Amino acid sequence: MKGKVYYPNTSGIGKIMSSVYAIVLIVGSGINVSNQDGLQSWFLFLKVSLIYIGICTLLFLAIKSQRIILNENQFTLKVFGFTRHQITLSQINQIRKAKLNGSPIMQIETKNKRTFPVPFLPFEKVWDELLPLLKEKCGADIIGEMKLRREKGELRSWD
């Protein structure tokens, strides 16, 4: 098999960021009018809001530029064209769903106990195709526990 490239789903990200900006703009404009701050203060608010647009654009481009490449013997994650993780399939010990800072991720643990976090959400549908392929290439025992919820009373540990 030649390398297959998987792309993230970014269809809703732009809409969410635009909606948040519109809400902030409306509320900020309302506060400006209610405080009778004037046009100069409102223009300053608009200039400062350009920072939000810049950061959102950078985040969107970072998410959009991600690629997962799976070929005959390697799993590669690229961001902005740079290789972030490159894992030889024979070195994969376990793949499991986990959480990092509250967001779901996929953790790939190698035989030398290194753990590589790989995004889950923009690749949610891609993982449905990737997991059976990885299971076929690396063996069924590599798929780890896929639960994200803790049992009642279970504490989080740092193991």
Side-chain angles (χ1 to χ4, degrees), residues 70-76 85-93 108-111 116 134 138:
L70 183 66
N71 62 26
E72 206 49 49
N73 58 359
Q74 281 188 334
F75 177 96
T76 306
H85 303 306
Q86 190 165 24
I87 308 162
T88 305
L89 294 181
S90 62
Q91 288 297 310
I92 294 177
N93 188 36
I108 299 176
E109 184 180 290
T110 59
K111 292 186 174 154
F116 298 93
L134 290 168
C138 303

Side-chain angles (χ1 to χ4, degrees):
M1 169 173 114
K2 259 181 133 177
K4 181 157 182 178
V5 180
Y6 297 95
Y7 301 93
N9 179 7
T10 57
S11 60
I13 295 172
K15 293 175 190 173
I16 291 172
M17 288 178 177
S18 299
S19 299
V20 169
Y21 180 71
I23 291 168
V24 168
L25 188 63
I26 290 168
V27 170
S29 297
I31 291 172
N32 187 48
V33 168
S34 71
N35 288 343
Q36 298 176 349
D37 287 338
L39 203 54
Q40 190 174 17
S41 176
W42 187 71
F43 280 129
L44 178 64
F45 168 69
L46 284 179
K47 288 178 186 176
V48 170
S49 71
L50 290 176
I51 295 170
Y52 173 81
I53 292 173
I55 290 171
C56 283
T57 302
L58 185 64
L59 286 172
F60 179 77
L61 291 174
I63 293 168
K64 186 83 172 165
S65 73
Q66 294 180 103
R67 304 285 181 264
I68 291 178
I69 303 166
L70 183 66
N71 62 26
E72 206 49 49
N73 58 359
Q74 281 188 334
F75 177 96
T76 306
L77 173 67
K78 290 191 172 213
V79 179
F80 285 127
F82 297 105
T83 301
R84 179 165 162 103
H85 303 306
Q86 190 165 24
I87 308 162
T88 305
L89 294 181
S90 62
Q91 288 297 310
I92 294 177
N93 188 36
Q94 190 177 59
I95 300 172
R96 63 184 172 268
K97 199 179 281 184
K99 281 194 173 187
L100 180 68
N101 298 330
S103 296
I105 62 166
M106 296 300 283
Q107 282 185 335
I108 299 176
E109 184 180 290
T110 59
K111 292 186 174 154
N112 62 357
K113 299 298 180 197
R114 278 192 69 196
T115 303
F116 298 93
V118 180
F120 175 75
L121 285 179
F123 294 104
E124 190 171 4
K125 291 187 170 106
V126 168
W127 281 107
D128 292 338
E129 183 180 333
L130 272 173
L131 286 174
L133 286 172
L134 290 168
K135 190 183 219 181
E136 176 186 314
K137 290 183 177 294
C138 303
D141 57 332
I142 66 151
I143 306 299
E145 182 66 35
M146 293 292 176
K147 72 175 190 169
L148 291 177
R149 294 192 176 171
R150 290 181 290 179
E151 298 298 322
K152 189 172 182 171
E154 178 184 351
L155 298 175
R156 289 190 187 225
S157 62
W158 291 97
D159 44 323

